[in-house]
Amino acid sequence: MLVFFLSVSFLTHRLVDTGLQDDQERFIPLYLSATVARLVLGLTFIGFFLFRHIEQRRTFILDFFVLYICYAGFEIWAVTRNLRRDS
């Protein structure tokens, strides 16, 4: 699960950085689309493992969402910290 979160975070950050090279005004749409993509990929990840009939589904989903919230919280903290510096 950690490898999934690491790879999705790396991919979305690279896509946002690549999109921002031309125009800094596109930050909000790019960031929001990356967040939606991360959510869709996460739901696909959960669906894949639920489709495979893993045992202890409730524990798997709870673990996933705890990690998802931790990663989202850290990302929000990092973005707000970077935005304060740019002001």
Side-chain angles (χ1 to χ4, degrees):
M1 234 186 287
L2 290 175
V3 172
F4 168 76
F5 282 113
L6 181 66
S7 60
V8 168
S9 294
F10 178 75
L11 177 67
T12 55
H13 283 295
R14 291 296 297 161
L15 289 174
V16 170
D17 286 342
T18 304
L20 287 178
Q21 288 178 354
D22 298 334
D23 185 15
Q24 294 291 326
E25 294 294 321
R26 296 185 340 191
F27 174 73
I28 293 174
L30 284 172
Y31 186 74
L32 289 177
S33 62
T35 303
V36 169
R38 182 177 295 124
L39 179 65
V40 169
L41 287 172
L43 292 175
T44 305
F45 182 79
I46 288 175
F48 173 76
F49 281 102
L50 291 180
F51 181 71
R52 304 228 13 207
H53 302 291
I54 62 168
E55 294 182 20
Q56 299 184 4
R57 292 177 176 195
R58 201 174 269 168
T59 304
F60 175 75
I61 292 172
L62 183 66
D63 288 345
F64 179 84
F65 281 117
V66 166
L67 286 174
Y68 186 86
I69 290 170
C70 288
Y71 270 83
F74 178 73
E75 184 177 352
I76 291 168
W77 175 77
V79 167
T80 57
R81 189 165 169 92
N82 287 337
L83 289 176
R84 281 190 214 143
R85 235 184 293 151
D86 291 341
S87 299

